[in-house]
Amino acid sequence: MPAKLILSGEHAVLYDAPALSMAINLTTESQLKFQPSTHQKIEIQLTDYGKHQAWSFSEAWDQAMEIEARFIAFEKGLQSIRKVCQQPFDLILLCLFHFEQHFKLQPGHWTINIQSNVWAGRGLGSSASVIVSLLSGLFKHHNIQNESALLALAQTVESRQHGQSSGLDPVSVMYGGLVRFQQHQALQNLPSHRFQAWLIDTGEPNSTTGECVSQVKAQHAQDKDLWQAFTECTNEIHKAWLAHDGAALKQAVRANQTLLEKIGVVPTKVAEFIQQLQQTPNCAAKVCGAGSISGDQAGVVMALCEQNPTDLCTQWGYTCQKIQIDQQGARCQTD
């Protein structure tokens, strides 16, 4: 399961604007093993966190319902989205719980092992990668061939992590390549071509995606001109991509960054870094993801440039690597 990188439309996609999102080859893998048993048990191993825990079905559903209760409290404005999912296991239990509600989990002993090299908390869709990876395995095991149901479940679960899911992240990691996504409209797949770009890690943001989404909503939800500007910017990136017009693509990426700064999700330090980076000839850069409303880190930055920006990144304390598009999207293998 790949990660995703939003070229344009983060935040704006929640206000009926289009978004362009690319699957990239940072992967998440869910290994599911099932044994028939009279003891209904769920065992979860999170390799990256070094955590292992087991529940009976009833214990797992009780814990999931507690998470659901916290989400309802968030929806009522009684607590922060940060309080809903409190530990790494919560997202996994929610996937299983919502699958159980719709399709019924086959009773027996389930062992689930999840590992990922996606940079967590950086705006790369790590949550969506885990959710879609696990749900894909569950759907395959239960012989359910219904992609729309899978994506709907993924969007439901992702909302518990981020507060309001547009469905963009699950779609991106599910289908791979570069897609144009707009709520209530058909998904468009864009052709792939040479893409010279770099992924720069500015560090994990102080604020969560959900907190950023909530603040942007409070301050800008009714600003139709702003979301129209995002739409026009996305259309320019789309047009430049199809035309293989590198100069126009970079100009539109710079415009997108300016809009993200306008809605207040780019910390000053990251804005200054991008400004310096764009002094490099033929270079354009932008924050990709929710950004941050506090602190100095903003997650990942995408840089379109011919020259390797590693030296400048090192000066700022950032790491970077070349971006490679993942064309395959979700895939399942059976032993």
Side-chain angles (χ1 to χ4, degrees), residues 62 65 89-90 99 146 194 199 217 225 227 250 296 308 335:
D62 285 347
M65 285 188 284
F89 292 114
D90 287 357
F99 183 89
N146 189 333
R194 181 178 176 271
L199 194 65
K217 181 178 181 180
D225 290 341
W227 305 122
K250 290 170 184 174
D296 289 333
N308 187 327
D335 293 337

Side-chain angles (χ1 to χ4, degrees), residues 107-327:
H109 185 169
W110 286 88
T111 303
I112 299 169
N113 189 327
I114 296 177
Q115 52 189 345
S116 176
N117 62 10
V118 180
W119 303 346
R122 301 300 200 271
L124 290 173
S126 58
S127 297
S129 294
V130 168
I131 294 166
V132 175
S133 176
L134 177 54
L135 288 178
S136 295
L138 291 172
F139 271 58
K140 186 173 183 65
H141 176 87
H142 291 80
N143 197 29
I144 303 168
Q145 298 179 5
N146 189 333
E147 287 185 352
S148 61
L150 192 159
L151 289 168
L153 273 186
Q155 185 175 357
T156 295
V157 175
E158 193 188 29
S159 292
R160 275 65 178 162
Q161 180 75 14
H162 297 317
Q164 183 180 4
S165 169
S166 66
L168 172 61
D169 285 13
V171 163
S172 297
V173 302
M174 182 81 177
Y175 293 114
L178 179 63
V179 298
R180 180 186 174 103
F181 174 92
Q182 191 166 4
Q183 295 188 83
H184 315 302
Q185 295 195 20
L187 189 72
Q188 295 181 46
N189 295 94
L190 276 65
S192 179
H193 57 71
R194 181 178 176 271
F195 183 70
Q196 182 82 351
W198 304 85
L199 194 65
I200 300 169
D201 183 10
T202 72
E204 184 173 1
N206 283 11
S207 53
T208 67
T209 294
E211 289 167 337
C212 290
V213 167
S214 294
Q215 177 161 306
V216 170
K217 181 178 181 180
Q219 297 181 349
H220 303 288
Q222 305 306 316
D223 191 342
K224 294 183 179 180
D225 290 341
L226 175 65
W227 305 122
Q228 180 59 33
F230 270 103
T231 295
E232 292 170 1
C233 189
T234 297
N235 288 338
E236 288 300 313
I237 292 176
H238 187 163
K239 180 181 175 181
W241 181 271
L242 293 179
H244 294 234
D245 189 338
L249 178 63
K250 290 170 184 174
Q251 182 178 350
V253 165
R254 294 188 193 101
N256 190 275
Q257 170 63 18
T258 299
L259 288 169
L260 292 173
E261 292 177 11
K262 184 174 181 179
I263 63 173
V265 297
V266 183
T268 300
K269 180 182 176 182
V270 175
E272 291 173 349
F273 165 73
I274 290 175
Q275 186 176 23
Q276 184 175 349
L277 182 61
Q278 291 184 153
Q279 292 172 6
T280 304
N282 300 316
C283 184
K286 67 177 290 289
V287 168
C288 292
S292 186
I293 56 175
S294 62
D296 289 333
Q297 295 82 37
V300 294
V301 166
M302 177 190 68
L304 298 173
C305 49
E306 299 298 323
Q307 299 179 22
N308 187 327
T310 297
D311 289 345
L312 180 62
C313 291
T314 300
Q315 293 175 24
W316 284 77
Y318 301 154
T319 58
C320 76
Q321 68 181 56
K322 197 168 185 179
I323 293 171
Q324 293 184 341
I325 303 175
D326 183 298
Q327 297 291 349

